[in-house]
Amino acid sequence: MSYQTNQFFTLLTYILLLCLGTGLSMLSVTGSGYFVTLTIGSLIATGIMIYLVKLSGRNEFEKKTTLNHDLQWIIIGTIGAIVLQYGIGFADQLIFNANTSSQNTLQLLLMVKAYPYYFIYVMIAAPIMEEIIFRRVFFANLIKPTNVYIAAIISACLFAFMHQDTRFLVYVAMGLWFSFVYYKSKNIYASAGSHLLMNAIVLTLAIA
């Protein structure tokens, strides 16, 4: 399998998962049936995408890294993401009088409270898949035809758009930051780890 074919199937896996949710809604599947199916589907999709990452091998700027190196970048990435999220959210409120509450986060909280097992999708599967798609597929592959800055901006805007949230600037900032973490750490799992931890901390604080 060529690298381009590998990337295509990675993206296709993600699109099929998104279509699964739409399909279930069209079939009027709701409640536990909907969330159980989506959670299982997300685990399968995540497993396939991780396998495809391993199968493709390292891209042009990825390198073999040590556990210590990855843990350092996960910590840096998590702290930076939380500071950025709250900092830009606060600035957004001061300048544009925007609501600091994320509609996306609030909806996810309601779902997790109603269906606790759904946290597997929200806190584990989603951040891993998003990093593979928006950072490894979009950002990494856009660097060569454009440059690292334009690639980061495009992937960050796509990342923000997919979240369908009123706090668009916050999600753009998150996308740019995770692109930075990925590019500097040379390992997609460093940015995925920091994204996962950030989600867990933010959602835990929101629940508390």
Side-chain angles (χ1 to χ4, degrees):
M1 182 186 295
S2 68
Y3 182 80
Q4 289 78 10
T5 303
N6 179 288
Q7 298 290 276
F8 169 77
F9 279 112
T10 302
L11 182 58
L12 180 62
T13 301
Y14 186 66
I15 292 171
L16 288 175
L17 178 65
L18 297 179
C19 290
L20 174 63
T22 303
L24 291 171
S25 297
M26 290 176 67
L27 293 171
S28 300
V29 178
T30 58
S32 293
Y34 177 89
F35 288 100
V36 166
T37 304
L38 204 56
T39 300
I40 293 172
S42 72
L43 288 174
I44 294 170
T46 302
I48 291 171
M49 290 166 69
I50 290 173
Y51 171 73
L52 288 170
V53 168
K54 183 178 180 181
L55 195 64
S56 72
R58 290 188 288 273
N59 60 31
E60 290 184 359
F61 70 84
E62 289 177 341
K63 292 182 179 179
K64 186 176 181 180
T65 56
T66 64
L67 178 60
N68 183 56
H69 170 274
D70 295 339
L71 288 175
Q72 286 179 5
W73 273 107
I74 287 172
I75 293 169
I76 292 169
T78 303
I79 294 171
I82 292 172
V83 170
L84 267 177
Q85 181 165 346
Y86 285 104
I88 293 177
F90 181 68
D92 204 18
Q93 182 186 37
L94 285 178
I95 298 169
F96 301 107
N97 201 29
N99 190 339
T100 56
S101 298
S102 167
Q103 293 303 312
N104 182 60
T105 301
L106 291 174
Q107 288 177 358
L108 290 175
L109 281 173
L110 291 173
M111 294 172 188
V112 170
K113 284 181 179 179
Y115 308 98
Y117 53 81
Y118 192 58
F119 88 92
I120 296 171
Y121 176 88
V122 175
M123 292 189 185
I124 301 172
I128 293 173
M129 289 188 293
E130 287 173 0
E131 289 307 303
I132 291 173
I133 293 297
F134 296 104
R135 256 55 77 183
R136 197 171 195 268
V137 173
F138 286 116
F139 170 65
N141 287 305
L142 285 169
I143 292 175
K144 199 168 184 178
T146 59
N147 59 56
V148 68
Y149 304 106
I150 294 175
I153 291 169
I154 293 172
S155 63
C157 288
L158 289 171
F159 174 72
F161 177 76
M162 283 300 298
H163 280 81
Q164 299 288 303
D165 196 278
T166 52
R167 302 195 309 164
F168 187 80
L169 289 178
V170 173
Y171 281 97
V172 169
M174 291 297 97
L176 291 172
W177 174 251
F178 288 129
S179 290
F180 170 78
V181 173
Y182 172 43
Y183 191 72
K184 289 295 184 181
S185 68
K186 314 297 184 186
N187 189 334
I188 191 61
Y189 296 115
S191 61
S194 57
H195 192 161
L196 191 155
L197 275 179
M198 183 208 71
N199 275 16
I201 293 169
V202 169
L203 288 173
T204 300
L205 290 174
I207 292 171

